[in-house]
Amino acid sequence: MLPGRFVGSRAACLAGVTTLCYETIPDVQLCETIPDVTVRQEKSPFIQACRREPVPYTPVWYMRQAGRSLPEYRKVREGVSMLDSCTRPDLITEITLQPLRRYDVDAAILFSDIVVPLRAVGIDVDIKAGIGPVVGTPIRASADLARLRPLEPGDVPYVTEAIRMLVTELDDRPLIGFAGGPFTLASYLVEGGPSKNHDRTKALMYGNPELWHALLGRLADITISFLQIQVAAGASAIQLFDSWVGAVGPDDYRHAILPHTSRIFSALRSTGVPCIHFGVGTGELLGLMGEAGADVVGVDWRIPLDEAVRRVEPGKALQGNLDPAVLLAPWDVVEERARDVLVRGRTAEGHVFNLGHGVLPETDPGILARLADLVHAESIQPET
Ligand code: CP3
């Protein structure tokens, strides 16, 4: 091994994946290490729950906790487009940290978007305010596939730089990296924008399996690189958001999507970081989503967590699943519903408290702060 230092994921270092965590630098002794800021993250309740280890209390974070409902987010975003803000390490760092100043959450999630790696390889995608991702020239024929070239670390230097800054700032709180799942990314590319029923995407899946698998193969390659880059920079867990995959039934999921998702999780396995797999409306897919190889299966609010436990194979932790709309109701309703989620979550081998989908823009941040405290207080375990 050339002289250098260990950076990034402790888990990757322990797993010996030096390409992910060893940086060669001149003028240092062999194997000199920097103070490893990620070692304490291994002992954080969030990572412990993902690994199904005993926890002092149930950890909590919120999908889409950054942005949207925070006035300080809207302030720093003034005059900066969504995707431009995702390429500025200073803004990425600031926005990622904003929710942690308000809520006692157990993890941060990187401020970015699922279309960032697509734009980084040259896809003409933009995020239009109030609409979502819009793709100028959709991908619908095999000739279009060449536009989905592999992602290199040099394509997203701002992600690496932001994560390195964040890991130092966050100290013992883990940072979750993320990427879009294959069906969800394919849907934006094929439809050309947000879609209710994903009809064109499913037409391609049913009508041209060869092109479909070639497309998902390329998306999986991009996703694997994007996630590996985040772990190499210091992310201590990752979440795959296949948000819209609930649009397909179990048989189609098994044949058309699962092989690609499995390849993503297999490629991440050697990094040693816990992987979370999430989708909306996936009650009938939960077992297969577990089989795809994640450590944690994310559950939306349509199915009680104890039922999700029965549907997911043993050896998995669960994440979820308070309906985000409950947070718009009076506090006594929030309290009652949150307690119910915690009680049902106790039947899982590991439970990370979360909403069943992202924070709604109109949510009062004060309620999110109170909810994090409630989850901790209600779940505290007596020291043994
Ligand atoms: O937790 C966080 O807040 C971290 C940041 C984050 C964003 N997007 C920032 C964002 C995360 C984790 C995402 C993931 C994402 N992006 C998903 C998966 C999660 C989910 O909600 O199911 C999806 C499907 C997208 C695609 C996307 N990006 C949509 C549909 C939209 C528009 C609707 C919306 O949520 O506002 C976006 C835009 C987007 N991504 C915004 C933010 C903060 C709003 C844009 C703005 O502030 O101008």
Side-chain angles (χ1 to χ4, degrees):
M1 197 184 279
L2 288 166
R5 62 179 180 178
F6 287 102
V7 293
S9 157
R10 168 82 178 173
C13 290
L14 292 174
V17 191
T18 48
T19 47
L20 281 176
C21 66
Y22 195 73
E23 189 176 71
T24 307
I25 42 173
D27 308 325
V28 296
Q29 297 299 307
L30 185 66
C31 286
E32 180 186 331
T33 55
I34 54 170
D36 193 331
V37 287
T38 54
V39 67
R40 273 171 297 149
Q41 293 166 357
E42 278 292 313
K43 288 275 153 262
S44 75
F46 168 72
I47 298 289
Q48 287 174 321
C50 291
R51 298 199 194 287
R52 296 171 286 113
E53 292 167 2
V55 285
Y57 50 79
T58 302
V60 50
W61 68 281
Y62 305 122
M63 288 185 280
R64 312 295 304 273
Q65 66 192 16
R68 304 231 250 180
S69 58
L70 297 180
E72 60 269 34
Y73 166 76
R74 291 193 284 271
K75 185 140 190 291
V76 295
R77 277 286 319 284
E78 262 168 31
V80 191
S81 78
M82 173 63 196
L83 283 179
D84 283 349
S85 65
C86 294
T87 62
R88 285 184 39 186
D90 57 333
L91 276 182
I92 301 173
T93 307
E94 166 61 19
I95 297 171
T96 302
L97 294 174
Q98 282 179 347
L100 278 80
R101 296 185 192 121
R102 282 187 181 254
Y103 320 133
D104 188 16
V105 282
D106 296 275
I109 180 157
L110 181 73
F111 179 74
S112 186
D113 194 84
I114 60 169
V115 298
V116 163
L118 301 180
R119 167 122 126 183
V121 300
I123 297 290
D124 52 344
V125 59
D126 198 6
I127 293 185
K128 299 238 187 303
I131 301 174
V134 175
V135 178
T137 319
I139 298 229
R140 291 180 185 157
S142 44
D144 298 327
L145 289 182
R147 288 158 50 207
L148 285 168
R149 67 159 175 86
L151 180 80
E152 311 280 344
D155 296 321
V156 284
Y158 39 84
V159 170
T160 302
E161 198 186 327
I163 292 180
R164 287 197 178 162
M165 293 199 289
L166 278 164
V167 168
T168 310
E169 289 278 326
L170 283 165
D171 196 16
D172 55 354
R173 273 203 257 197
L175 175 70
I176 304 170
F178 73 92
F183 181 87
T184 302
L185 292 180
S187 172
Y188 285 113
L189 290 171
V190 174
E191 307 285 341
S195 151
K196 190 155 175 264
N197 296 319
H198 314 278
D199 295 334
R200 268 181 188 273
T201 314
K202 288 165 75 178
L204 178 69
M205 179 182 87
Y206 293 128
N208 191 343
E210 206 182 319
L211 176 56
W212 175 259
H213 283 292
L215 170 60
L216 265 64
R218 282 184 187 240
L219 291 174
D221 287 340
I222 291 171
T223 300
I224 289 167
S225 308
F226 190 49
L227 292 172
Q228 284 178 334
I229 290 164
Q230 294 176 63
V231 174
S236 38
I238 62 99
Q239 175 154 324
L240 193 71
F241 282 95
D242 214 350
S243 301
W244 316 137
V245 78
V248 306
D251 281 350
D252 292 310
Y253 183 85
R254 184 186 288 284
H255 297 115
I257 298 153
L258 184 109
H260 303 283
T261 313
S262 295
R263 192 158 69 78
I264 295 169
F265 288 124
S266 305
L268 266 293
R269 186 124 312 267
S270 62
T271 68
V273 303
C275 297
I276 310 169
H277 191 185
F278 170 77
V280 181
T282 48
E284 301 305 320
L285 302 179
L286 290 175
L288 291 166
M289 287 175 70
E291 271 180 44
D295 305 280
V296 185
V297 177
V299 183
D300 86 353
W301 66 92
R302 292 174 178 85
I303 156 170
L305 269 187
D306 48 341
E307 175 56 23
V309 168
R310 287 187 279 277
R311 295 185 185 198
V312 174
E313 63 186 358
K316 305 282 170 190
L318 294 186
Q319 176 174 278
N321 74 343
L322 187 68
D323 185 344
V326 163
L327 303 186
L328 307 178
W331 172 251
D332 56 324
V333 178
V334 177
E335 203 171 14
E336 189 196 321
R337 296 292 183 129
R339 286 203 178 106
D340 183 59
V341 169
L342 282 169
V343 168
R344 293 176 196 274
R346 277 188 209 121
T347 63
E349 293 176 45
H351 178 212
V352 176
F353 190 100
N354 207 316
L355 307 180
H357 197 188
V359 171
L360 296 168
E362 55 272 42
T363 310
D364 172 0
I367 297 288
L368 287 165
R370 248 177 122 174
L371 177 59
D373 293 343
L374 175 83
V375 169
H376 289 153
E378 286 285 315
S379 62
I380 202 145
Q381 300 293 317
E383 280 194 46
T384 48

